[in-house]
Amino acid sequence: MRIDARNLLDRLGRSDFAYREFEDRFTDLELWPILESLLRDPRLQALDPGTPQGNGPGASSPAAERAQPSITPHPGTLSGTSASPLTKPAEEPLKVLFSRYEQGAQPALPAEEAPAPPPPQDIRGLLRRLSQSGGDARGKPGEQGEN
Amino acid sequence: MPMVLCHAPKGGTGTTFVAAHLAMGLAAEGADVTVLTMAARDTMALHFGLSQAISLPSLTAPADEAVLVGGINLRYWHRSAEDADLLPMLNDLGYLTPGKDRVLVVDMPSGEFRAALRLVEHACAHLCTLTAQPDTLALLPQMFGETGSEGLLRTAFVINALDETRRLSRHGAAFVRELAGQRLIGRIRLDEAVPEAMAMLQPLSRYAPASAALHDARAISGAILPALESTAASWIAPTASRAA
Ligand SMILES: Nc1ncnc2c1ncn2[C@@H]1O[C@H](COP(=O)(O)OP(=O)(O)OP(=O)(O)O)[C@@H](O)[C@H]1O
Ligand SMILES: [Mg+2]
């Protein structure tokens, strides 16, 4: 570590720097074609992601907590959006999902922001639908979601 | 003693780095740890602050030839990882029974995926180190397809060399988070101190005690602990729908 960084850390009373916030604007988000094509691959469903936080053995570890998928929507935290991305799952599901990736990409939430119950739409549901719809990623409006 | 298999679908993701720090973490928890490196071109010793000139003893070498670093026994398997003798030998040496007092950490090079497939069903856990890069993620379907749901039951993931200042890195990591769920047991930040420590022939903990990667890597061993004593098919509780 560079001495100036070391001195700064000492002054701050910290042992390392953690990257905090680099928020993308919602309109800047894009689904990378490679991720889109991965989402269509049925082989990814072979992996069972385990029980939600609190039940799995890994859930009690600090690493698991930090790595915990942040699948909880936090409406309005993305600049440019006011509604929760999950209110319109039938439209542009991939983009909606991806906006949640952004939420997930944020650093670990403070303890007081405990995760709420998972939203109805998840990556597995999406994977299933994608493989069932024969690769029509967008599906037909009204086929997916709750409405 | 149980075996933790470290293997990734892609080379260069940090499997050896993570295996070394997993071993150090388990040793710090009080376990008697052996590291078995299967790579023909091996860099494991560098993570322990040893020079590359040191050649590690074979798995079967006598105790007086052992290379011990901080109590960790560094060994090398010099025959093919697919060698039919390997599993029976590991079994004879007591390396395949649950318990947290003695642990075998196997560093398997990415190319040896057939050998990894053979070992994984005897391992208490399979630790798969990924980067958030597209060429790593692109190999996941093939890996999952070859391994199958049964083979993936003991798999846990670590995202290494994470740079959250990069959009693609964040998106790739988020993708893995969503995909792996509880199976993502850690994230390790990209940290220049990792190669610097090797260049200094020092363990990372000595060269840069404040290293972000060191801090992150230390959390991995704690997350693996439940696997060591597990006798269940999966140490990560399956989702309710699959368990039913
Ligand atoms: N968190 C990190 N930050 C910075 N550099 C890292 C990090 N983790 C690993 N590296 C560097 O990445 C390179 C590859 O790491 P490593 O040898 O552990 O990968 P590997 O997956 O075992 O590769 P191989 O498949 O060739 O065995 C090394 O030069 C290592 O120093
Ligand atoms: Mg390696």
Side-chain angles (χ1 to χ4, degrees), chain A residues 1 6 9 15-20 22-24 28-30 32 34-35 38-39 41 43-64 66-71 97-98 100-102 104-108 122-124 127, chain B residues 134-135 137-142 144-145 148-150 152-153 155 157 164-168 170-172 174-175 177-187 189 193 196 207-212 215-217 219-220 222-223 226 235-240 242-243:
Chain A
M1 183 179 295
R6 176 75 263 159
L9 284 177
S15 64
D16 66 39
F17 287 115
Y19 169 77
R20 283 296 169 223
F22 262 64
E23 243 171 57
D24 291 312
D28 292 340
L29 298 186
E30 62 195 89
W32 305 87
I34 192 166
L35 297 185
L38 284 169
L39 282 170
D41 198 311
R43 289 174 292 179
L44 287 188
Q45 291 180 46
L47 186 77
D48 177 351
T51 47
Q53 188 180 33
N55 295 328
S60 56
S61 78
R66 281 185 305 113
Q68 178 63 27
S70 176
I71 50 179
L97 182 71
F98 214 61
R100 286 182 28 238
Y101 284 175
E102 277 315 291
Q106 288 171 12
D122 59 32
I123 193 171
R124 305 218 144 245
L127 285 168
Chain B
D135 46 357
L137 302 181
L139 294 176
L140 289 177
Q142 194 183 350
F144 287 13
S149 357
E150 287 292 308
L152 291 166
L153 281 177
T155 300
F157 297 87
E164 289 199 302
T165 64
R166 306 279 166 195
R167 200 162 53 113
L168 182 54
R170 292 199 304 284
H171 291 182
F175 180 85
R177 259 196 292 280
E178 292 284 346
L179 182 71
Q182 292 299 301
R183 296 182 178 277
L184 180 62
I185 61 167
R187 295 184 294 175
R189 282 165 282 176
E196 281 178 5
Y207 172 71
S211 152
H215 170 272
D216 296 343
I220 309 291
W235 57 286
I236 295 166
T239 48
R242 305 218 186 182

Side-chain angles (χ1 to χ4, degrees), chain B residues 31-236:
Chain B
D32 178 356
V33 183
T34 299
V35 172
L36 181 62
T37 164
M38 313 285 285
R41 306 273 183 268
D42 182 46
T43 52
M44 177 63 77
L46 287 174
H47 294 285
F48 289 87
L50 301 177
S51 148
Q52 78 285 0
I54 292 197
S55 61
L56 302 180
S58 146
L59 177 63
T60 51
D64 60 357
E65 291 176 25
V67 171
L68 291 164
V69 187
I72 299 167
N73 198 340
L74 302 182
R75 298 276 174 159
Y76 182 73
W77 175 254
H78 52 105
R79 281 145 62 187
S80 160
E82 287 188 73
D83 194 310
D85 290 344
L86 178 60
L87 267 173
M89 182 183 309
L90 292 177
N91 195 32
D92 288 349
L93 293 169
Y95 285 136
L96 303 180
T97 44
K100 61 176 170 39
D101 299 334
R102 297 174 68 218
V103 186
L104 179 71
V105 175
V106 177
D107 176 21
M108 183 74 81
S110 60
E112 300 272 15
F113 62 92
R114 273 195 216 89
L117 269 180
R118 273 180 359 110
L119 287 197
V120 77
E121 55 184 296
H122 303 278
C124 69
H126 163 218
L127 191 56
C128 180
T129 301
L130 302 174
T131 63
Q133 298 307 309
D135 46 357
T136 303
L137 302 181
L139 294 176
L140 289 177
Q142 194 183 350
M143 172 195 160
F144 287 13
E146 283 163 0
T147 314
S149 357
E150 287 292 308
L152 291 166
L153 281 177
R154 284 172 296 274
T155 300
F157 297 87
V158 171
I159 302 175
N160 185 33
L162 186 59
D163 179 358
E164 289 199 302
T165 64
R166 306 279 166 195
R167 200 162 53 113
L168 182 54
S169 191
R170 292 199 304 284
H171 291 182
F175 180 85
V176 175
R177 259 196 292 280
E178 292 284 346
L179 182 71
Q182 292 299 301
R183 296 182 178 277
L184 180 62
I185 61 167
R187 295 184 294 175
I188 304 176
R189 282 165 282 176
L190 181 73
D191 185 352
E192 193 58 19
V194 173
E196 281 178 5
M198 290 194 276
M200 294 297 288
L201 293 179
Q202 288 179 16
L204 185 55
S205 55
R206 175 136 58 88
Y207 172 71
S211 152
L214 176 68
H215 170 272
D216 296 343
R218 278 187 166 144
I220 309 291
S221 51
I224 282 282
L225 277 179
L228 302 181
E229 291 183 294
S230 169
T231 49
S234 173
W235 57 286
I236 295 166

